Amino acid sequence: MTTTGSSPLRRQKYPRNAEQFVFEALHKTQKTLQKKYSSEQREEETHISGQELLEGIRRLALQQFGLMATTVFHQWGIYATEDFGRLVFSLVEQGKMKKTEQDTLNDFCAVYSFEDAFDRGYRIDSNAAFEK
């Protein structure tokens, strides 16, 4: 696997808050894509790709943290999308998440830059500020 040169050295252990955030993003993404697990569905029908999960992470981060998303992620030791991949594969190794044979860490490499995804792309909904 290759990594980008912009990321500092990474920790292998991520905080519990980061893990919980990824699980929440996973569940919301499954729901959005109508891939929520039920006893009648096979695992393949509920699977989401690394890129789909990263998009769910981006959306949830903007919703929960706004312009502070990058700062929160840096506090968790997450500096690039590859770090989310490392976190996900750590959860897989711990038996807390599952993957398919096709899933690789490369699925998470350089999908988006945090600056583009969280800073440049952030829009404040001024209409919501005035709703009662």
Side-chain angles (χ1 to χ4, degrees):
M1 169 170 149
T2 57
T3 59
T4 61
S6 62
S7 298
L9 291 175
R10 295 166 184 89
R11 298 183 266 168
Q12 292 299 314
K13 178 83 172 135
Y14 294 98
R16 178 165 289 182
N17 289 345
E19 292 179 0
Q20 291 172 338
F21 178 82
V22 167
F23 280 118
E24 185 176 350
L26 172 67
H27 295 274
K28 286 182 179 282
T29 303
Q30 286 175 317
K31 184 177 179 182
T32 298
L33 298 176
Q34 299 179 346
K35 294 187 175 188
K36 192 74 175 154
Y37 178 77
S38 73
S39 58
E40 293 113 30
Q41 291 179 304
R42 297 187 327 256
E43 265 184 49
E44 301 85 41
E45 295 171 334
T46 62
H47 178 264
I48 63 171
S49 70
Q51 292 87 1
E52 289 170 329
L53 178 57
L54 286 169
E55 177 59 19
I57 287 170
R58 186 189 71 78
R59 288 174 185 242
L60 184 60
L62 288 171
Q63 179 185 30
Q64 286 190 359
F65 308 128
L67 289 171
M68 294 297 294
T70 300
T71 302
V72 170
F73 293 154
H74 287 179
Q75 287 291 313
W76 291 344
I78 298 172
Y79 297 90
T81 56
E82 299 92 74
D83 293 317
F84 279 114
R86 286 183 186 87
L87 192 157
V88 166
F89 275 80
S90 172
L91 293 169
V92 168
E93 288 174 8
Q94 296 172 48
K96 296 179 180 178
M97 272 189 176
K98 294 182 181 180
K99 71 174 193 71
T100 66
E101 291 295 319
Q102 294 76 33
D103 293 324
T104 69
L105 199 51
N106 284 333
D107 297 337
F108 292 86
C109 288
V111 174
Y112 52 74
S113 76
F114 284 7
E115 185 177 343
D116 288 338
F118 303 118
D119 299 335
R120 288 189 190 133
Y122 187 76
R123 301 289 179 257
I124 295 173
D125 182 4
S126 59
N127 292 330
F130 298 104
E131 291 178 357
K132 290 185 181 185

